Amino acid sequence: MNALIEQAITGADKTFFQMRSDIVEGEIEAGSKLSETELSTKYGVSRAVVREAINRLESCHLVERKPNIGARVVALTPEGLIQLYQARESLEGMAARLAAKNMTDEEIEQLNELLNTHFQEVKGGETYYQEAGDVDFHYRIILGSKNKHLISLLVNGLYHLIRMYRVQLGMAGPRVSTAFDEHKNIVKAIRNRDEELAEMLMRRHILYSQQNIEARLQ
Amino acid sequence: MNALIEQAITGADKTFFQMRSDIVEGEIEAGSKLSETELSTKYGVSRAVVREAINRLESCHLVERKPNIGARVVALTPEGLIQLYQARESLEGMAARLAAKNMTDEEIEQLNELLNTHFQEVKGGETYYQEAGDVDFHYRIILGSKNKHLISLLVNGLYHLIRMYRVQLGMAGPRVSTAFDEHKNIVKAIRNRDEELAEMLMRRHILYSQQNIEARLQ
DNA sequence: TTTGCTTTAATTGTCGACAATATAGGCGTA
DNA sequence: TACGCCTATATTGTCGACAATTAAAGCAAA
């Protein structure tokens, strides 16, 4: 179902995935300090692999490192969330534009099918899959852009941070039907190969989402 | 002059900066394999710091690493350049939009002064400073966005790769006067706090630049 | 009591050695 | 000769120990 199958080759991979998950899920709490020795005993590996994992987490913008001092998990702030959505808006907007240009007819058809199954689930009240479905939708468009920089920046970079905000500030649930309509219109634009419209609709979709979240934080 | 003063704290920092420079300048040639032992003797440090430097270079999209196989400097291809400019267009477009919103009047005034000195240099035929001036202009707007994700993605991420293309495919020089006018109009939009126009003009400016480069590659 | 300095402890940075994996070459067989 | 297998070599991954830097504790003086 999900086109993203990250598999761990080395031990550092495994530790990185584990730590990333723990941070996103809040098991390692936001803003906390990451002690290398402590983590090495916790995950049962040497400090070297913990250090490599931390370096990669820094690339994801999930932790911040200061020389000779150490690494901390990022703090979740309203400003940070807004800035994150601004970056996301620009990148995913361009991704939608390029998807309208570069996705094959077959890929677009599969995207449409995803939307249909998603619709059935929403109608059935399965709000659990709503989150996963939304993520999957956005992933496909990002991959559909076929631009490796956009893919890397979003999938390996910002998306886990977005998920961290979602999980820890607990914002999934509402906005289901309207978001679904927005998805539908985006696919329609992509199907019509209307790059301009696809980008505009994606940007508005993300902007609405941002505003919805902002409203709920207050 | 340049607001970016990266200073090396640890030895890994120094090695990272050195390697990055060597890659961008082409001293370590594009597409070549990076041997950890070889580099550790070359730079006179242990393999651990070379590994850390390589990890950071991967974050910059300057090298690609494969588990148990090793790291290679990225290859410079026409497709890669186009994709790079697409990502840049979206990010810097958003940066210009936010700069129009978030830069202080004083910062805008300084930006305008930069443009004036730049104009004098162009008139005097100092094509050497044209490159640096252009980079400085874009840097200021990126920083002016005050969005840490945009700043990080561009300054620490894509900009060195862009520079690598510029240096190694040798594309500086022409397009001076037109680019200068485009810069002027962008500043005018920012000064008027016209976010929409600032973004549009920046995107076109980068798109023109991309097309100009593409044309020269053929 | 509070401020500043000195000493001590803890953490990060760096190193060389060993283990695991991948590549290259040689050998044997079809 | 060509193909596949096996061995040998080289490279990357991982580890524990030491060095350098920072944070903390204790003491002394105002």
Side-chain angles (χ1 to χ4, degrees):
Chain A
M1 177 169 249
N2 197 329
L4 289 168
I5 4 95
E6 290 179 316
Q7 58 179 339
I9 311 286
T10 86
D13 291 341
K14 226 167 34 180
T15 305
F16 167 62
F17 291 145
Q18 187 65 51
M19 283 187 68
R20 189 179 64 187
S21 172
D22 290 347
I23 288 173
V24 168
E25 302 293 332
E27 193 166 314
I28 299 176
E29 63 181 333
S32 65
K33 183 165 190 324
L34 295 175
S35 163
E36 294 181 359
T37 56
E38 188 182 324
L39 291 168
S40 74
T41 60
K42 174 175 178 179
Y43 294 106
V45 291
S46 79
R47 263 186 62 217
V49 326
V50 170
R51 276 176 71 86
E52 170 150 354
I54 288 177
N55 279 330
R56 290 203 227 169
L57 290 168
E58 192 187 18
S59 306
C60 300
H61 300 187
L62 287 174
V63 315
E64 287 168 352
R65 251 186 91 190
K66 287 181 183 172
N68 285 320
I69 291 177
R72 303 191 81 89
V73 181
V74 294
L76 303 182
T77 67
E79 289 83 1
L81 182 59
I82 291 172
Q83 292 189 6
L84 180 56
Y85 266 76
Q86 287 167 343
R88 188 188 168 200
E89 179 186 329
S90 78
L91 289 169
E92 282 205 55
M94 179 60 84
R97 170 184 287 271
L98 294 175
K101 189 181 179 184
N102 296 331
M103 281 179 87
T104 67
D105 292 340
E106 191 185 352
E107 288 169 337
I108 296 175
E109 198 44 51
Q110 291 169 352
L111 182 62
N112 203 45
E113 283 170 21
L114 173 72
L115 225 58
N116 289 335
T117 62
H118 188 189
F119 176 66
Q120 298 299 328
E121 288 163 357
V122 169
K123 219 173 51 176
E126 299 179 48
T127 54
Y128 172 74
Y129 282 104
Q130 189 254 328
E131 158 85 12
D134 180 65
V135 170
D136 201 5
F137 175 79
H138 283 271
Y139 267 149
R140 294 216 189 181
I141 289 178
I142 292 165
L143 296 180
S145 76
K146 318 227 166 144
N147 181 308
K148 70 176 175 178
H149 294 291
L150 295 180
I151 293 170
S152 173
L153 294 180
L154 284 164
V155 175
N156 300 319
L158 301 184
Y159 249 69
H160 297 283
L161 186 53
I162 292 171
R163 220 173 98 69
M164 183 173 169
Y165 271 100
R166 281 200 185 172
V167 170
Q168 300 199 26
L169 300 188
M171 41 210 205
R175 227 182 82 75
V176 175
S177 57
T178 53
F180 179 76
D181 285 342
E182 288 161 23
H183 285 189
K184 238 173 56 178
N185 287 327
I186 291 169
V187 172
K188 203 182 292 179
I190 290 176
R191 188 183 245 157
N192 290 336
R193 305 293 185 183
D194 189 334
E195 302 176 23
E196 193 77 23
L197 185 61
E199 175 169 9
M200 182 181 293
L201 290 177
M202 179 61 86
R203 286 185 64 159
R204 288 200 183 172
H205 171 57
I206 292 170
L207 195 59
Y208 291 154
S209 183
Q210 175 193 332
Q211 289 167 347
N212 182 271
I213 287 164
E214 281 180 54
R216 201 168 334 154
L217 289 183
Q218 286 152 12
Chain B
M1 177 169 252
N2 196 331
L4 289 167
I5 5 93
E6 292 180 313
Q7 57 179 341
I9 310 287
T10 89
D13 291 340
K14 226 165 37 178
T15 306
F16 167 61
F17 292 145
Q18 187 66 50
M19 283 187 68
R20 188 179 64 187
S21 171
D22 288 347
I23 289 173
V24 167
E25 302 294 332
E27 193 167 314
I28 299 177
E29 63 182 332
S32 66
K33 184 166 189 323
L34 295 176
S35 164
E36 294 181 0
T37 55
E38 188 182 326
L39 291 168
S40 73
T41 59
K42 174 174 178 179
Y43 294 106
V45 290
S46 79
R47 263 186 61 217
V49 327
V50 169
R51 276 176 72 85
E52 171 151 353
I54 289 177
N55 279 331
R56 291 203 227 167
L57 290 168
E58 191 187 19
S59 305
C60 300
H61 300 190
L62 286 174
V63 316
E64 288 167 351
R65 250 185 92 190
K66 287 181 183 171
N68 286 319
I69 292 176
R72 303 193 81 89
V73 180
V74 293
L76 302 182
T77 68
E79 289 84 0
L81 182 60
I82 291 171
Q83 292 190 6
L84 180 56
Y85 266 76
Q86 287 168 341
R88 189 189 167 198
E89 179 186 330
S90 78
L91 289 170
E92 283 206 54
M94 178 59 84
R97 169 184 288 269
L98 295 175
K101 188 181 180 185
N102 296 330
M103 281 180 88
T104 65
D105 292 340
E106 190 186 351
E107 286 170 337
I108 295 174
E109 197 44 50
Q110 290 169 352
L111 182 63
N112 202 45
E113 283 169 22
L114 173 72
L115 223 59
N116 287 335
T117 63
H118 187 189
F119 175 66
Q120 297 300 329
E121 287 163 356
V122 170
K123 221 174 50 174
E126 298 179 47
T127 53
Y128 172 73
Y129 282 104
Q130 189 256 325
E131 158 86 12
D134 180 66
V135 169
D136 201 3
F137 175 79
H138 283 271
Y139 268 149
R140 294 216 188 181
I141 290 178
I142 292 165
L143 296 181
S145 75
K146 317 225 167 145
N147 181 306
K148 70 175 177 181
H149 293 292
L150 295 180
I151 294 170
S152 172
L153 294 180
L154 284 164
V155 174
N156 300 319
L158 301 184
Y159 250 68
H160 297 283
L161 186 52
I162 292 171
R163 219 173 98 70
M164 182 173 169
Y165 271 100
R166 280 200 187 171
V167 170
Q168 299 200 26
L169 300 188
M171 41 213 205
R175 225 181 84 73
V176 176
S177 56
T178 54
F180 179 75
D181 286 341
E182 288 160 23
H183 285 190
K184 238 173 56 178
N185 288 327
I186 291 170
V187 172
K188 204 181 291 179
I190 290 176
R191 187 184 246 159
N192 291 336
R193 305 294 184 182
D194 190 334
E195 303 176 21
E196 193 77 24
L197 185 61
E199 174 168 11
M200 182 181 294
L201 290 177
M202 179 61 86
R203 286 185 64 159
R204 288 202 184 169
H205 171 57
I206 291 170
L207 193 60
Y208 291 154
S209 183
Q210 175 192 332
Q211 289 168 347
N212 181 271
I213 287 162
E214 282 180 53
R216 201 166 337 154
L217 289 181
Q218 285 150 15

